[in-house]
Amino acid sequence: MIDFAVDRYTFASGRQGMAGVIAAIDECYLSAIAPGKRPQDVRNCLVLDMLAFRIDQHVSGGPPGNDRQLPFFQRARAAQRWERYAPLGNLRPGEDAASFMMNGSDAAAFELERRRRAPRMS
């Protein structure tokens, strides 16, 4: 799950910045709710979404979900997404989903930073 979020975020942001990340999140959710998919697929998307939300919040400054964040990550739109998809990932909306997403995005952010600091091999 951590590798999934970091790989998706890194690829999408490297190609198209945050617009690419937003598209990757939308595509992730659409794919994760397709027939034959598992709740874990939705959970992967929730962690990716929270990782991007937190990075956007850090860059924009201010409290999470503030009006300086990109519209996709502002409080109302983000909460609407998370409330919709959390049950599909077998998570109760609210504290259960938030705790899962925060823990997953913490680990993903740590891994993202570890990869950024790793020496480059030629």
Side-chain angles (χ1 to χ4, degrees):
M1 172 177 54
I2 302 310
D3 285 335
F4 174 88
V6 172
D7 290 347
R8 275 276 177 101
Y9 178 85
T10 302
F11 181 77
S13 67
R15 295 193 69 169
Q16 297 175 312
M18 287 307 277
V21 173
I22 290 168
I25 292 167
D26 281 339
E27 290 170 14
C28 184
Y29 284 128
L30 288 174
S31 173
I33 62 173
K37 295 294 186 163
R38 303 165 299 139
Q40 182 61 47
D41 297 318
V42 175
R43 288 178 177 215
N44 289 341
C45 301
L46 289 165
V47 170
L48 171 63
D49 196 348
M50 180 58 78
L51 174 65
F53 173 88
R54 293 175 73 187
I55 290 170
D56 186 66
Q57 184 264 324
H58 178 74
V59 170
S60 69
N66 72 79
D67 63 355
R68 292 190 314 225
Q69 284 192 252
L70 294 171
F72 186 82
F73 296 114
Q74 290 176 5
R75 186 167 307 282
R77 285 187 62 191
Q80 184 178 34
R81 257 190 332 276
W82 300 335
E83 287 175 17
R84 175 180 180 202
Y85 290 107
L88 300 173
N90 286 340
L91 297 166
R92 283 192 322 233
E95 282 190 41
D96 287 346
S99 177
F100 174 82
M101 292 167 63
M102 289 297 289
N103 289 336
S105 66
D106 280 346
F110 181 79
E111 176 61 14
L112 182 62
E113 186 60 25
R114 186 194 69 74
R115 290 182 189 186
R116 286 181 178 164
R117 291 178 182 232
R120 305 259 182 221
M121 304 292 277
S122 300

